[in-house]
PDB file of all heavy atoms in Angstrom:
ATOM      1  N   VAL A   1     -12.295   5.753   3.576  1.00  0.00           N
ATOM      2  CA  VAL A   1     -13.729   6.014   3.670  1.00  0.00           C
ATOM      3  C   VAL A   1     -14.524   4.703   3.595  1.00  0.00           C
ATOM      4  O   VAL A   1     -15.424   4.472   4.391  1.00  0.00           O
ATOM      5  CB  VAL A   1     -14.161   6.982   2.541  1.00  0.00           C
ATOM      6  CG1 VAL A   1     -15.661   7.229   2.588  1.00  0.00           C
ATOM      7  CG2 VAL A   1     -13.401   8.280   2.643  1.00  0.00           C
ATOM      8  N   LEU A   2     -14.208   3.867   2.648  1.00  0.00           N
ATOM      9  CA  LEU A   2     -14.945   2.619   2.427  1.00  0.00           C
ATOM     10  C   LEU A   2     -13.964   1.596   1.851  1.00  0.00           C
ATOM     11  O   LEU A   2     -13.138   1.948   1.009  1.00  0.00           O
ATOM     12  CB  LEU A   2     -16.110   2.852   1.442  1.00  0.00           C
ATOM     13  CG  LEU A   2     -17.050   1.654   1.209  1.00  0.00           C
ATOM     14  CD1 LEU A   2     -17.763   1.268   2.507  1.00  0.00           C
ATOM     15  CD2 LEU A   2     -18.095   2.019   0.141  1.00  0.00           C
ATOM     16  N   SER A   3     -14.066   0.334   2.291  1.00  0.00           N
ATOM     17  CA  SER A   3     -13.119  -0.687   1.811  1.00  0.00           C
ATOM     18  C   SER A   3     -13.830  -2.020   1.603  1.00  0.00           C
ATOM     19  O   SER A   3     -14.900  -2.253   2.171  1.00  0.00           O
ATOM     20  CB  SER A   3     -11.970  -0.868   2.817  1.00  0.00           C
ATOM     21  OG  SER A   3     -12.485  -1.403   4.042  1.00  0.00           O
ATOM     22  N   ALA A   4     -13.207  -2.845   0.801  1.00  0.00           N
ATOM     23  CA  ALA A   4     -13.720  -4.197   0.537  1.00  0.00           C
ATOM     24  C   ALA A   4     -12.524  -5.139   0.398  1.00  0.00           C
ATOM     25  O   ALA A   4     -11.526  -4.798  -0.219  1.00  0.00           O
ATOM     26  CB  ALA A   4     -14.560  -4.218  -0.743  1.00  0.00           C
ATOM     27  N   GLY A   5     -12.645  -6.372   0.989  1.00  0.00           N
ATOM     28  CA  GLY A   5     -11.561  -7.357   0.892  1.00  0.00           C
ATOM     29  C   GLY A   5     -10.675  -7.335   2.102  1.00  0.00           C
ATOM     30  O   GLY A   5     -10.936  -6.660   3.104  1.00  0.00           O
ATOM     31  N   GLY A   6      -9.575  -8.056   2.049  1.00  0.00           N
ATOM     32  CA  GLY A   6      -8.656  -8.178   3.176  1.00  0.00           C
ATOM     33  C   GLY A   6      -9.172  -9.151   4.201  1.00  0.00           C
ATOM     34  O   GLY A   6     -10.153  -9.866   4.000  1.00  0.00           O
ATOM     35  N   GLU A   7      -8.506  -9.235   5.311  1.00  0.00           N
ATOM     36  CA  GLU A   7      -8.931 -10.117   6.373  1.00  0.00           C
ATOM     37  C   GLU A   7     -10.199  -9.561   7.006  1.00  0.00           C
ATOM     38  O   GLU A   7     -10.569  -8.394   6.838  1.00  0.00           O
ATOM     39  CB  GLU A   7      -7.829 -10.267   7.433  1.00  0.00           C
ATOM     40  CG  GLU A   7      -6.524 -10.840   6.890  1.00  0.00           C
ATOM     41  CD  GLU A   7      -6.695 -12.259   6.428  1.00  0.00           C
ATOM     42  OE1 GLU A   7      -7.595 -12.940   6.981  1.00  0.00           O
ATOM     43  OE2 GLU A   7      -5.961 -12.664   5.519  1.00  0.00           O
ATOM     44  N   SER A   8     -10.945 -10.393   7.756  1.00  0.00           N
ATOM     45  CA  SER A   8     -12.186  -9.957   8.400  1.00  0.00           C
ATOM     46  C   SER A   8     -11.888  -8.847   9.398  1.00  0.00           C
ATOM     47  O   SER A   8     -10.931  -8.901  10.154  1.00  0.00           O
ATOM     48  CB  SER A   8     -12.837 -11.156   9.107  1.00  0.00           C
ATOM     49  OG  SER A   8     -11.975 -11.696  10.062  1.00  0.00           O
ATOM     50  N   SER A   9     -12.745  -7.827   9.382  1.00  0.00           N
ATOM     51  CA  SER A   9     -12.646  -6.646  10.263  1.00  0.00           C
ATOM     52  C   SER A   9     -11.301  -5.941  10.129  1.00  0.00           C
ATOM     53  O   SER A   9     -10.825  -5.312  11.062  1.00  0.00           O
ATOM     54  CB  SER A   9     -12.890  -7.048  11.723  1.00  0.00           C
ATOM     55  OG  SER A   9     -11.838  -7.847  12.200  1.00  0.00           O
ATOM     56  N   GLU A  10     -10.639  -6.080   9.002  1.00  0.00           N
ATOM     57  CA  GLU A  10      -9.343  -5.426   8.801  1.00  0.00           C
ATOM     58  C   GLU A  10      -9.533  -4.205   7.904  1.00  0.00           C
ATOM     59  O   GLU A  10     -10.154  -4.299   6.831  1.00  0.00           O
ATOM     60  CB  GLU A  10      -8.350  -6.406   8.159  1.00  0.00           C
ATOM     61  CG  GLU A  10      -6.995  -5.778   7.891  1.00  0.00           C
ATOM     62  CD  GLU A  10      -6.057  -6.718   7.193  1.00  0.00           C
ATOM     63  OE1 GLU A  10      -6.448  -7.883   6.966  1.00  0.00           O
ATOM     64  OE2 GLU A  10      -4.943  -6.283   6.851  1.00  0.00           O
ATOM     65  N   ILE A  11      -9.002  -3.078   8.325  1.00  0.00           N
ATOM     66  CA  ILE A  11      -9.077  -1.835   7.536  1.00  0.00           C
ATOM     67  C   ILE A  11      -7.756  -1.684   6.802  1.00  0.00           C
ATOM     68  O   ILE A  11      -6.690  -1.800   7.391  1.00  0.00           O
ATOM     69  CB  ILE A  11      -9.307  -0.612   8.453  1.00  0.00           C
ATOM     70  CG1 ILE A  11     -10.654  -0.782   9.202  1.00  0.00           C
ATOM     71  CG2 ILE A  11      -9.301   0.679   7.640  1.00  0.00           C
ATOM     72  CD1 ILE A  11     -10.927   0.314  10.204  1.00  0.00           C
ATOM     73  N   PRO A  12      -7.812  -1.471   5.471  1.00  0.00           N
ATOM     74  CA  PRO A  12      -6.565  -1.338   4.716  1.00  0.00           C
ATOM     75  C   PRO A  12      -5.707  -0.199   5.269  1.00  0.00           C
ATOM     76  O   PRO A  12      -6.201   0.811   5.792  1.00  0.00           O
ATOM     77  CB  PRO A  12      -7.036  -1.054   3.295  1.00  0.00           C
ATOM     78  CG  PRO A  12      -8.438  -1.588   3.243  1.00  0.00           C
ATOM     79  CD  PRO A  12      -9.015  -1.368   4.602  1.00  0.00           C
ATOM     80  N   ALA A  13      -4.376  -0.407   5.174  1.00  0.00           N
ATOM     81  CA  ALA A  13      -3.443   0.621   5.649  1.00  0.00           C
ATOM     82  C   ALA A  13      -3.576   1.888   4.789  1.00  0.00           C
ATOM     83  O   ALA A  13      -3.843   1.823   3.577  1.00  0.00           O
ATOM     84  CB  ALA A  13      -2.030   0.085   5.594  1.00  0.00           C
ATOM     85  N   ARG A  14      -3.402   3.037   5.434  1.00  0.00           N
ATOM     86  CA  ARG A  14      -3.491   4.319   4.716  1.00  0.00           C
ATOM     87  C   ARG A  14      -2.290   4.472   3.793  1.00  0.00           C
ATOM     88  O   ARG A  14      -1.181   4.074   4.130  1.00  0.00           O
ATOM     89  CB  ARG A  14      -3.511   5.473   5.722  1.00  0.00           C
ATOM     90  CG  ARG A  14      -4.739   5.446   6.638  1.00  0.00           C
ATOM     91  CD  ARG A  14      -4.668   6.540   7.669  1.00  0.00           C
ATOM     92  NE  ARG A  14      -4.585   7.847   7.018  1.00  0.00           N
ATOM     93  CZ  ARG A  14      -4.511   9.015   7.686  1.00  0.00           C
ATOM     94  NH1 ARG A  14      -4.496   9.003   9.007  1.00  0.00           N
ATOM     95  NH2 ARG A  14      -4.444  10.159   7.032  1.00  0.00           N
ATOM     96  N   PRO A  15      -2.520   5.043   2.622  1.00  0.00           N
ATOM     97  CA  PRO A  15      -1.390   5.275   1.711  1.00  0.00           C
ATOM     98  C   PRO A  15      -0.480   6.366   2.256  1.00  0.00           C
ATOM     99  O   PRO A  15      -0.885   7.216   3.055  1.00  0.00           O
ATOM    100  CB  PRO A  15      -2.075   5.660   0.405  1.00  0.00           C
ATOM    101  CG  PRO A  15      -3.376   6.234   0.818  1.00  0.00           C
ATOM    102  CD  PRO A  15      -3.814   5.509   2.048  1.00  0.00           C
ATOM    103  N   SER A  16       0.748   6.300   1.796  1.00  0.00           N
ATOM    104  CA  SER A  16       1.706   7.313   2.248  1.00  0.00           C
ATOM    105  C   SER A  16       1.384   8.658   1.597  1.00  0.00           C
ATOM    106  O   SER A  16       0.696   8.746   0.564  1.00  0.00           O
ATOM    107  CB  SER A  16       3.127   6.868   1.890  1.00  0.00           C
ATOM    108  OG  SER A  16       3.260   6.765   0.484  1.00  0.00           O
ATOM    109  N   ALA A  17       1.864   9.719   2.249  1.00  0.00           N
ATOM    110  CA  ALA A  17       1.622  11.077   1.725  1.00  0.00           C
ATOM    111  C   ALA A  17       2.269  11.256   0.360  1.00  0.00           C
ATOM    112  O   ALA A  17       1.731  11.963  -0.518  1.00  0.00           O
ATOM    113  CB  ALA A  17       2.160  12.111   2.718  1.00  0.00           C
ATOM    114  N   THR A  18       3.423  10.590   0.133  1.00  0.00           N
ATOM    115  CA  THR A  18       4.101  10.704  -1.163  1.00  0.00           C
ATOM    116  C   THR A  18       3.245  10.100  -2.267  1.00  0.00           C
ATOM    117  O   THR A  18       3.126  10.651  -3.366  1.00  0.00           O
ATOM    118  CB  THR A  18       5.455   9.984  -1.100  1.00  0.00           C
ATOM    119  OG1 THR A  18       6.223  10.526  -0.038  1.00  0.00           O
ATOM    120  CG2 THR A  18       6.198  10.129  -2.407  1.00  0.00           C
ATOM    121  N   LEU A  19       2.638   8.928  -1.978  1.00  0.00           N
ATOM    122  CA  LEU A  19       1.797   8.285  -2.980  1.00  0.00           C
ATOM    123  C   LEU A  19       0.573   9.138  -3.282  1.00  0.00           C
ATOM    124  O   LEU A  19       0.146   9.258  -4.441  1.00  0.00           O
ATOM    125  CB  LEU A  19       1.384   6.884  -2.482  1.00  0.00           C
ATOM    126  CG  LEU A  19       0.715   5.966  -3.506  1.00  0.00           C
ATOM    127  CD1 LEU A  19       1.671   5.680  -4.651  1.00  0.00           C
ATOM    128  CD2 LEU A  19       0.258   4.668  -2.867  1.00  0.00           C
ATOM    129  N   ILE A  20      -0.018   9.776  -2.242  1.00  0.00           N
ATOM    130  CA  ILE A  20      -1.188  10.637  -2.457  1.00  0.00           C
ATOM    131  C   ILE A  20      -0.792  11.852  -3.286  1.00  0.00           C
ATOM    132  O   ILE A  20      -1.512  12.274  -4.204  1.00  0.00           O
ATOM    133  CB  ILE A  20      -1.777  11.050  -1.102  1.00  0.00           C
ATOM    134  CG1 ILE A  20      -2.338   9.801  -0.366  1.00  0.00           C
ATOM    135  CG2 ILE A  20      -2.872  12.103  -1.271  1.00  0.00           C
ATOM    136  CD1 ILE A  20      -2.829  10.095   1.032  1.00  0.00           C
ATOM    137  N   SER A  21       0.350  12.419  -2.994  1.00  0.00           N
ATOM    138  CA  SER A  21       0.819  13.601  -3.739  1.00  0.00           C
ATOM    139  C   SER A  21       1.029  13.264  -5.207  1.00  0.00           C
ATOM    140  O   SER A  21       0.641  14.027  -6.098  1.00  0.00           O
ATOM    141  CB  SER A  21       2.118  14.113  -3.117  1.00  0.00           C
ATOM    142  OG  SER A  21       2.634  15.196  -3.865  1.00  0.00           O
ATOM    143  N   GLN A  22       1.623  12.048  -5.485  1.00  0.00           N
ATOM    144  CA  GLN A  22       1.841  11.643  -6.869  1.00  0.00           C
ATOM    145  C   GLN A  22       0.508  11.395  -7.577  1.00  0.00           C
ATOM    146  O   GLN A  22       0.340  11.762  -8.757  1.00  0.00           O
ATOM    147  CB  GLN A  22       2.695  10.373  -6.916  1.00  0.00           C
ATOM    148  CG  GLN A  22       4.123  10.570  -6.475  1.00  0.00           C
ATOM    149  CD  GLN A  22       4.913   9.276  -6.467  1.00  0.00           C
ATOM    150  OE1 GLN A  22       4.364   8.217  -6.756  1.00  0.00           O
ATOM    151  NE2 GLN A  22       6.206   9.383  -6.126  1.00  0.00           N
ATOM    152  N   ALA A  23      -0.452  10.829  -6.880  1.00  0.00           N
ATOM    153  CA  ALA A  23      -1.751  10.578  -7.495  1.00  0.00           C
ATOM    154  C   ALA A  23      -2.491  11.875  -7.779  1.00  0.00           C
ATOM    155  O   ALA A  23      -3.202  12.010  -8.785  1.00  0.00           O
ATOM    156  CB  ALA A  23      -2.586   9.678  -6.579  1.00  0.00           C
ATOM    157  N   ARG A  24      -2.342  12.883  -6.880  1.00  0.00           N
ATOM    158  CA  ARG A  24      -3.012  14.163  -7.084  1.00  0.00           C
ATOM    159  C   ARG A  24      -2.398  14.883  -8.279  1.00  0.00           C
ATOM    160  O   ARG A  24      -3.106  15.533  -9.067  1.00  0.00           O
ATOM    161  CB  ARG A  24      -2.894  15.026  -5.816  1.00  0.00           C
ATOM    162  CG  ARG A  24      -3.663  16.359  -5.936  1.00  0.00           C
ATOM    163  CD  ARG A  24      -3.487  17.220  -4.687  1.00  0.00           C
ATOM    164  NE  ARG A  24      -4.005  16.533  -3.514  1.00  0.00           N
ATOM    165  CZ  ARG A  24      -3.265  16.131  -2.505  1.00  0.00           C
ATOM    166  NH1 ARG A  24      -1.950  16.327  -2.554  1.00  0.00           N
ATOM    167  NH2 ARG A  24      -3.801  15.529  -1.482  1.00  0.00           N
ATOM    168  N   SER A  25      -1.084  14.736  -8.447  1.00  0.00           N
ATOM    169  CA  SER A  25      -0.404  15.440  -9.545  1.00  0.00           C
ATOM    170  C   SER A  25      -0.631  14.735 -10.890  1.00  0.00           C
ATOM    171  O   SER A  25      -0.897  15.377 -11.908  1.00  0.00           O
ATOM    172  CB  SER A  25       1.096  15.543  -9.259  1.00  0.00           C
ATOM    173  OG  SER A  25       1.320  16.227  -8.041  1.00  0.00           O
ATOM    174  N   ASN A  26      -0.516  13.384 -10.894  1.00  0.00           N
ATOM    175  CA  ASN A  26      -0.557  12.633 -12.153  1.00  0.00           C
ATOM    176  C   ASN A  26      -1.887  11.916 -12.397  1.00  0.00           C
ATOM    177  O   ASN A  26      -2.070  11.290 -13.445  1.00  0.00           O
ATOM    178  CB  ASN A  26       0.557  11.597 -12.185  1.00  0.00           C
ATOM    179  CG  ASN A  26       1.929  12.240 -12.022  1.00  0.00           C
ATOM    180  OD1 ASN A  26       2.155  13.354 -12.511  1.00  0.00           O
ATOM    181  ND2 ASN A  26       2.830  11.553 -11.325  1.00  0.00           N
ATOM    182  N   GLY A  27      -2.790  11.937 -11.412  1.00  0.00           N
ATOM    183  CA  GLY A  27      -4.061  11.232 -11.556  1.00  0.00           C
ATOM    184  C   GLY A  27      -3.961   9.749 -11.199  1.00  0.00           C
ATOM    185  O   GLY A  27      -4.960   9.101 -10.951  1.00  0.00           O
ATOM    186  N   ILE A  28      -2.764   9.206 -11.148  1.00  0.00           N
ATOM    187  CA  ILE A  28      -2.563   7.795 -10.837  1.00  0.00           C
ATOM    188  C   ILE A  28      -1.156   7.626 -10.291  1.00  0.00           C
ATOM    189  O   ILE A  28      -0.217   8.305 -10.734  1.00  0.00           O
ATOM    190  CB  ILE A  28      -2.763   6.886 -12.073  1.00  0.00           C
ATOM    191  CG1 ILE A  28      -2.621   5.397 -11.678  1.00  0.00           C
ATOM    192  CG2 ILE A  28      -1.788   7.227 -13.172  1.00  0.00           C
ATOM    193  CD1 ILE A  28      -3.726   4.898 -10.821  1.00  0.00           C
ATOM    194  N   ALA A  29      -0.995   6.728  -9.306  1.00  0.00           N
ATOM    195  CA  ALA A  29       0.328   6.436  -8.742  1.00  0.00           C
ATOM    196  C   ALA A  29       0.315   5.007  -8.213  1.00  0.00           C
ATOM    197  O   ALA A  29      -0.712   4.525  -7.726  1.00  0.00           O
ATOM    198  CB  ALA A  29       0.667   7.432  -7.632  1.00  0.00           C
ATOM    199  N   SER A  30       1.465   4.329  -8.298  1.00  0.00           N
ATOM    200  CA  SER A  30       1.576   2.937  -7.798  1.00  0.00           C
ATOM    201  C   SER A  30       3.011   2.693  -7.364  1.00  0.00           C
ATOM    202  O   SER A  30       3.936   3.335  -7.865  1.00  0.00           O
ATOM    203  CB  SER A  30       1.165   1.922  -8.874  1.00  0.00           C
ATOM    204  OG  SER A  30       2.019   2.029  -9.996  1.00  0.00           O
ATOM    205  N   ARG A  31       3.159   1.720  -6.477  1.00  0.00           N
ATOM    206  CA  ARG A  31       4.480   1.375  -5.976  1.00  0.00           C
ATOM    207  C   ARG A  31       4.487  -0.072  -5.450  1.00  0.00           C
ATOM    208  O   ARG A  31       3.454  -0.632  -5.094  1.00  0.00           O
ATOM    209  CB  ARG A  31       4.905   2.348  -4.876  1.00  0.00           C
ATOM    210  CG  ARG A  31       3.972   2.333  -3.666  1.00  0.00           C
ATOM    211  CD  ARG A  31       4.436   3.297  -2.607  1.00  0.00           C
ATOM    212  NE  ARG A  31       5.720   2.881  -2.073  1.00  0.00           N
ATOM    213  CZ  ARG A  31       6.340   3.539  -1.089  1.00  0.00           C
ATOM    214  NH1 ARG A  31       5.794   4.655  -0.595  1.00  0.00           N
ATOM    215  NH2 ARG A  31       7.493   3.106  -0.640  1.00  0.00           N
ATOM    216  N   LEU A  32       5.720  -0.679  -5.388  1.00  0.00           N
ATOM    217  CA  LEU A  32       5.914  -2.022  -4.826  1.00  0.00           C
ATOM    218  C   LEU A  32       6.214  -1.901  -3.345  1.00  0.00           C
ATOM    219  O   LEU A  32       7.056  -1.090  -2.942  1.00  0.00           O
ATOM    220  CB  LEU A  32       7.054  -2.748  -5.527  1.00  0.00           C
ATOM    221  CG  LEU A  32       6.853  -3.082  -7.007  1.00  0.00           C
ATOM    222  CD1 LEU A  32       8.152  -3.616  -7.606  1.00  0.00           C
ATOM    223  CD2 LEU A  32       5.747  -4.101  -7.179  1.00  0.00           C
ATOM    224  N   GLU A  33       5.593  -2.733  -2.520  1.00  0.00           N
ATOM    225  CA  GLU A  33       5.797  -2.704  -1.076  1.00  0.00           C
ATOM    226  C   GLU A  33       6.100  -4.121  -0.568  1.00  0.00           C
ATOM    227  O   GLU A  33       5.725  -5.116  -1.177  1.00  0.00           O
ATOM    228  CB  GLU A  33       4.542  -2.178  -0.382  1.00  0.00           C
ATOM    229  CG  GLU A  33       4.169  -0.757  -0.771  1.00  0.00           C
ATOM    230  CD  GLU A  33       2.903  -0.284  -0.092  1.00  0.00           C
ATOM    231  OE1 GLU A  33       2.236  -1.106   0.586  1.00  0.00           O
ATOM    232  OE2 GLU A  33       2.580   0.897  -0.235  1.00  0.00           O
ATOM    233  N   GLY A  34       6.759  -4.201   0.588  1.00  0.00           N
ATOM    234  CA  GLY A  34       7.005  -5.496   1.237  1.00  0.00           C
ATOM    235  C   GLY A  34       8.230  -6.226   0.743  1.00  0.00           C
ATOM    236  O   GLY A  34       8.412  -7.411   1.077  1.00  0.00           O
ATOM    237  N   LEU A  35       9.101  -5.587  -0.048  1.00  0.00           N
ATOM    238  CA  LEU A  35      10.294  -6.272  -0.549  1.00  0.00           C
ATOM    239  C   LEU A  35      11.495  -6.109   0.371  1.00  0.00           C
ATOM    240  O   LEU A  35      12.561  -6.663   0.106  1.00  0.00           O
ATOM    241  CB  LEU A  35      10.656  -5.756  -1.944  1.00  0.00           C
ATOM    242  CG  LEU A  35       9.613  -6.006  -3.043  1.00  0.00           C
ATOM    243  CD1 LEU A  35      10.074  -5.393  -4.358  1.00  0.00           C
ATOM    244  CD2 LEU A  35       9.358  -7.484  -3.197  1.00  0.00           C
ATOM    245  N   GLU A  36      11.328  -5.342   1.441  1.00  0.00           N
ATOM    246  CA  GLU A  36      12.459  -5.107   2.337  1.00  0.00           C
ATOM    247  C   GLU A  36      12.841  -6.395   3.089  1.00  0.00           C
ATOM    248  O   GLU A  36      14.016  -6.688   3.264  1.00  0.00           O
ATOM    249  CB  GLU A  36      12.119  -3.993   3.346  1.00  0.00           C
ATOM    250  CG  GLU A  36      11.843  -2.632   2.723  1.00  0.00           C
ATOM    251  CD  GLU A  36      10.438  -2.536   2.143  1.00  0.00           C
ATOM    252  OE1 GLU A  36       9.647  -3.461   2.433  1.00  0.00           O
ATOM    253  OE2 GLU A  36      10.152  -1.582   1.414  1.00  0.00           O
ATOM    254  N   ASP A  37      11.835  -7.132   3.519  1.00  0.00           N
ATOM    255  CA  ASP A  37      12.076  -8.386   4.250  1.00  0.00           C
ATOM    256  C   ASP A  37      11.945  -9.551   3.260  1.00  0.00           C
ATOM    257  O   ASP A  37      10.842  -9.854   2.789  1.00  0.00           O
ATOM    258  CB  ASP A  37      11.060  -8.538   5.382  1.00  0.00           C
ATOM    259  CG  ASP A  37      11.382  -9.724   6.284  1.00  0.00           C
ATOM    260  OD1 ASP A  37      12.321 -10.485   5.960  1.00  0.00           O
ATOM    261  OD2 ASP A  37      10.693  -9.894   7.308  1.00  0.00           O
ATOM    262  N   GLU A  38      13.091 -10.213   2.922  1.00  0.00           N
ATOM    263  CA  GLU A  38      13.065 -11.276   1.910  1.00  0.00           C
ATOM    264  C   GLU A  38      12.214 -12.468   2.366  1.00  0.00           C
ATOM    265  O   GLU A  38      11.465 -13.044   1.566  1.00  0.00           O
ATOM    266  CB  GLU A  38      14.495 -11.763   1.623  1.00  0.00           C
ATOM    267  CG  GLU A  38      15.370 -10.713   0.974  1.00  0.00           C
ATOM    268  CD  GLU A  38      16.753 -11.252   0.659  1.00  0.00           C
ATOM    269  OE1 GLU A  38      17.014 -12.438   0.969  1.00  0.00           O
ATOM    270  OE2 GLU A  38      17.557 -10.493   0.103  1.00  0.00           O
ATOM    271  N   GLN A  39      12.333 -12.825   3.640  1.00  0.00           N
ATOM    272  CA  GLN A  39      11.577 -13.965   4.124  1.00  0.00           C
ATOM    273  C   GLN A  39      10.084 -13.707   4.041  1.00  0.00           C
ATOM    274  O   GLN A  39       9.308 -14.549   3.575  1.00  0.00           O
ATOM    275  CB  GLN A  39      11.993 -14.280   5.584  1.00  0.00           C
ATOM    276  CG  GLN A  39      11.403 -15.566   6.139  1.00  0.00           C
ATOM    277  CD  GLN A  39      11.958 -16.788   5.445  1.00  0.00           C
ATOM    278  OE1 GLN A  39      13.039 -16.737   4.895  1.00  0.00           O
ATOM    279  NE2 GLN A  39      11.183 -17.867   5.450  1.00  0.00           N
ATOM    280  N   ALA A  40       9.632 -12.513   4.451  1.00  0.00           N
ATOM    281  CA  ALA A  40       8.212 -12.172   4.392  1.00  0.00           C
ATOM    282  C   ALA A  40       7.743 -12.054   2.954  1.00  0.00           C
ATOM    283  O   ALA A  40       6.613 -12.443   2.617  1.00  0.00           O
ATOM    284  CB  ALA A  40       7.961 -10.857   5.152  1.00  0.00           C
ATOM    285  N   ALA A  41       8.606 -11.525   2.063  1.00  0.00           N
ATOM    286  CA  ALA A  41       8.221 -11.367   0.658  1.00  0.00           C
ATOM    287  C   ALA A  41       7.984 -12.728   0.017  1.00  0.00           C
ATOM    288  O   ALA A  41       7.033 -12.916  -0.745  1.00  0.00           O
ATOM    289  CB  ALA A  41       9.306 -10.595  -0.094  1.00  0.00           C
ATOM    290  N   MET A  42       8.861 -13.724   0.308  1.00  0.00           N
ATOM    291  CA  MET A  42       8.690 -15.054  -0.279  1.00  0.00           C
ATOM    292  C   MET A  42       7.480 -15.773   0.301  1.00  0.00           C
ATOM    293  O   MET A  42       6.970 -16.723  -0.289  1.00  0.00           O
ATOM    294  CB  MET A  42       9.956 -15.882  -0.066  1.00  0.00           C
ATOM    295  CG  MET A  42      11.119 -15.440  -0.945  1.00  0.00           C
ATOM    296  SD  MET A  42      12.539 -16.546  -0.877  1.00  0.00           S
ATOM    297  CE  MET A  42      13.077 -16.285   0.812  1.00  0.00           C
ATOM    298  N   GLN A  43       6.999 -15.352   1.473  1.00  0.00           N
ATOM    299  CA  GLN A  43       5.810 -15.942   2.081  1.00  0.00           C
ATOM    300  C   GLN A  43       4.532 -15.262   1.637  1.00  0.00           C
ATOM    301  O   GLN A  43       3.456 -15.552   2.159  1.00  0.00           O
ATOM    302  CB  GLN A  43       5.919 -15.897   3.608  1.00  0.00           C
ATOM    303  CG  GLN A  43       7.021 -16.806   4.155  1.00  0.00           C
ATOM    304  CD  GLN A  43       7.148 -16.719   5.656  1.00  0.00           C
ATOM    305  OE1 GLN A  43       6.439 -15.922   6.293  1.00  0.00           O
ATOM    306  NE2 GLN A  43       8.045 -17.517   6.219  1.00  0.00           N
ATOM    307  N   GLY A  44       4.591 -14.312   0.679  1.00  0.00           N
ATOM    308  CA  GLY A  44       3.397 -13.707   0.108  1.00  0.00           C
ATOM    309  C   GLY A  44       3.059 -12.338   0.660  1.00  0.00           C
ATOM    310  O   GLY A  44       1.933 -11.855   0.440  1.00  0.00           O
TER     311      GLY A  44
END
C-alpha cells in the first residue's frame, strides 16, 4: 500500500503467503532471505 526506502522508484517485494499467514496467526513473523547464493550474500 505504502513504502519508504529502498532504491529510487523501487517498490518492495511482496511478502510470501506463508509469512503473511504466520503474521496473521501470531501477530508477528520474520525470516532470513538471500542466503541461498553465497556470493550474493557476501556482497550484501
